[in-house]
Amino acid sequence: MKEIQTKLLVIGAGPGGYVCAIRAGQLGIDTVIVEAKKLGGVCLNVGCIPSKALIHAADEFHAAAQLSLGKSPLGISAGAPTLSLAKTIAWKDQIVGRLTSGVSALLKRGKVKIVVGVARFRDGKTVAVETETGTQIIRAESVVIATGSGPVAIPFLPFGGPVISSTQALAVSALPERLVVVGGGYIGLELGTAFAKLGSDVTIVEAEPRILPLYDAELTRPVARRLTELGVKTLTGAKARGLTPKGDALLVDTEDAKEIRLPADKVLVTVGRAPLTEGWGREELALDMDGKFIRVDEHCRTSMRGVYAIGDVTGEPMLAHRAMAQGEMVAEIAAGRNRSWDKRAIPAICFTDPEIVAVGASPEEARRGGAEIKVALFPFTANGRAMTKLGEEGFVRVVARADNHLLLGVQAVGRDVAELAAAFGLALEMGARLEDIAGTIHAHPTLGEAFHEAALRDLGHALHI
Ligand code: FAD
């Protein structure tokens, strides 16, 4: 097979890699992208998008089921809904298909060459790709490692049989009657909640003292309350020990050191994700590591000249939008532009019920940073739009410096608050102060007014509370 010579070679077509290649194509850089599985990576195929599709379907089903109970305060009643899971999964797959073919079209428009196969470094400038038709050698001036991450397995609870990862959970052919989720982080809770709404009997097992341990207790309390309302059992301070010999139950050590048995048709393990740093010839390179991640500087350069790394393989937060922003930046650097990582905040969202958004520093993080701060919270019980959506649980919270009122962080929990991430992120990125948010007209009636009111409250003169 004829060798390919290119200016830029991207390994991995997840949100980091494909965005990097699209932008490089737009900038007229001769670019090749190699993907072992499917364009779109984890996010489009087995992550962000399919999980949000399943969550939406579950919300719709649950809402219809509530109407059939005849208890809706809206005065609407309906018959009991039925679920065709195969159709739900097919609908989700069709969304994934539309998005991944969109990525393919955008790459082609930028004249990016797509090579399908597993890439392996021979040296810092040469990669061999095992394709269906043989080994393809690619030589490049610059290489971008965007190999992403995979689910972490528990050694005594390996994937297989009833033990599944999020990937299998998103493609089940039958609804598990009893689902035990090991790991109460955002992925476990998002999927666990969706299955509970579709009708599974769900138990969450979390080793830390509370669910979503990376978020503060004030933010996670409404989610914990809602899980109870949905009939989801949550065992915190509990450790999974393994399956019973028959494989029909999970053995768990509870907080008070008792061993219990949780009958389960499926055990979904979501205890984290690990960067994919093996299997592509890292040993042929001299890359400095940062723990389990590849070390990069503010230009996403690794310790080897001409070798960049982006996305989940480079560290936390392992989120699609961080990977995309890094990908775009590296393409521009490859085109000779003067770019560096200057982001003030990376939003994080849990698509739980209710949703959580966190941008910038929490009160605790801001205090730890040494700043004297002012914190204010505006509850959705005092927001008209939240009332009209039956979404009064939750709040928007702003964290600002006490001396000059510079915004340090904004968090929210509530129905549909994910969409507020854009406003919060923009405010932080623009270096807004409380007075800037207070001086902006926020449309009425919207959830965004709670952001306005939280800023006003932090200044000591909220209007609607
Ligand atoms: P990946 O998406 O992991 O893509 C890497 C690609 O590289 C893969 O396609 C892989 O096949 C390919 N590859 C690896 N090695 C080679 C090789 N040697 N040769 C060729 N190709 C190779 N993030 C969010 O921001 N929002 C969400 O709502 C969200 N929800 C999620 C839900 C779930 C269930 C999961 C699992 C993840 C979710 N994430 C979410 C995380 C998000 O999917 C990742 O942060 C994102 O996909 C990382 O992008 P990436 O480009 O670094 O790598």
Side-chain angles (χ1 to χ4, degrees):
M1 208 179 282
K2 200 165 165 274
E3 279 186 17
I4 297 175
Q5 298 273 353
T6 186
K7 179 153 181 198
L8 187 69
L9 168 63
V10 182
I11 302 176
Y18 84 69
V19 165
C20 183
I22 288 174
R23 184 70 188 121
Q26 287 173 349
L27 291 164
I29 302 174
D30 181 24
T31 305
V32 176
I33 190 164
V34 186
E35 172 52 53
K37 293 179 187 160
K38 289 182 178 161
L39 293 179
V42 169
C43 177
L44 265 55
N45 293 288
V46 291
C48 328
I49 296 296
S51 62
K52 268 80 248 180
L54 191 71
I55 289 166
H56 180 69
D59 282 347
E60 295 284 298
F61 182 77
H62 182 70
Q66 291 305 105
L67 292 180
S68 75
L69 299 176
K71 289 186 192 159
S72 167
L74 311 181
I76 306 170
S77 53
T82 56
L83 176 73
S84 163
L85 189 62
K87 276 194 184 163
T88 309
I89 300 290
W91 167 75
K92 179 253 323 172
D93 289 343
Q94 166 260 332
I95 294 172
V96 170
R98 272 168 56 199
L99 288 172
T100 52
S101 39
V103 168
S104 169
L106 291 169
L107 288 169
K108 282 177 192 146
R109 193 198 288 170
K111 299 196 171 45
V112 175
K113 183 168 176 52
I114 303 167
V115 176
V116 180
V118 178
R120 209 183 158 80
F121 278 94
R122 293 212 166 152
D123 60 49
K125 306 248 177 251
T126 320
V127 160
V129 185
E130 290 315 317
T131 73
E132 268 188 358
T133 50
T135 305
Q136 172 70 65
I137 303 293
I138 306 173
R139 291 187 203 282
E141 284 172 36
S142 302
V143 186
V144 183
I145 302 168
T147 48
S149 65
V152 170
I154 302 178
F156 47 86
L157 204 57
F159 294 121
V163 182
I164 58 171
S165 72
S166 55
T167 299
Q168 286 101 45
L170 290 166
V172 286
S173 51
L175 203 64
E177 214 172 289
R178 297 157 310 177
L179 175 72
V180 177
V181 180
V182 181
Y186 86 94
I187 294 178
L189 289 191
E190 288 184 5
L191 293 176
T193 306
F195 277 100
K197 288 182 176 175
L198 291 171
S200 297
D201 179 359
V202 177
T203 305
I204 314 253
V205 176
E206 168 58 53
E208 295 289 323
R210 54 186 182 78
I211 54 159
L212 295 172
L214 296 181
Y215 296 82
D216 61 80
E218 195 171 40
L219 273 176
T220 57
R221 214 168 286 129
V223 177
R225 258 199 300 270
R226 180 72 174 134
L227 286 171
T228 309
E229 221 173 84
L230 289 167
V232 175
K233 292 170 280 304
T234 312
L235 296 177
T236 50
K239 292 198 176 74
R241 287 228 341 262
L243 288 182
T244 52
K246 265 189 169 173
D248 59 352
L250 182 75
L251 296 171
V252 173
D253 281 341
T254 62
E255 206 169 9
D256 44 5
K258 278 198 201 108
E259 183 190 289
I260 58 164
R261 196 177 162 277
L262 295 174
D265 302 300
K266 293 273 185 235
V267 176
L268 168 60
V269 175
T270 52
V271 291
R273 297 185 58 80
L276 224 151
T277 51
E278 305 297 330
W280 44 260
R282 180 161 66 90
E283 54 283 6
E284 307 301 330
L285 309 177
L287 297 180
D288 284 355
M289 300 299 285
D290 186 3
K292 55 188 179 168
F293 298 104
I294 298 175
R295 184 190 295 276
V296 289
D297 67 7
E298 70 277 19
H299 305 282
C300 282
R301 289 183 301 209
T302 67
S303 50
M304 277 183 83
R305 190 189 294 268
V307 180
Y308 297 82
I310 57 174
D312 283 8
V313 80
T314 63
E316 299 283 0
M318 289 199 256
L319 292 171
H321 39 281
R322 170 176 172 272
M324 292 191 220
Q326 288 179 322
E328 188 246 7
M329 180 186 80
V330 166
E332 297 215 342
I333 291 171
R337 296 199 179 177
N338 185 14
R339 290 284 309 269
S340 66
W341 190 256
D342 56 358
K343 312 297 177 202
R344 288 172 60 98
I346 302 171
I349 301 178
C350 304
F351 290 83
T352 41
D353 182 4
E355 294 169 347
I356 293 179
V357 180
V359 191
S362 68
E364 181 53 35
E365 287 162 348
R367 274 186 210 108
R368 250 188 278 134
E372 212 173 301
I373 56 166
K374 284 163 81 72
V375 181
L377 177 157
F378 189 83
F380 284 121
T381 41
N383 175 276
R385 183 63 181 134
M387 288 182 202
T388 64
K389 282 162 136 331
L390 294 177
E392 291 177 50
E393 172 94 89
F395 55 83
V396 175
R397 186 177 69 192
V398 295
V399 184
R401 275 176 64 136
D403 55 358
N404 60 9
H405 299 173
L406 181 74
L407 226 54
L408 298 175
V410 190
Q411 299 85 31
V413 53
R415 172 171 290 186
D416 299 335
V417 294
E419 296 299 329
L420 296 180
F424 300 167
L426 185 64
L428 281 170
E429 213 58 56
M430 301 294 287
R433 290 163 196 257
L434 290 173
E435 287 80 357
D436 296 315
I437 310 305
T440 302
I441 296 180
H442 287 71
H444 178 71
T446 61
L447 299 180
E449 286 174 287
F451 183 27
H452 187 220
E453 288 279 4
L456 284 173
R457 200 175 190 195
D458 220 5
L459 291 168
H461 49 90
L463 290 163
H464 290 90
I465 197 161

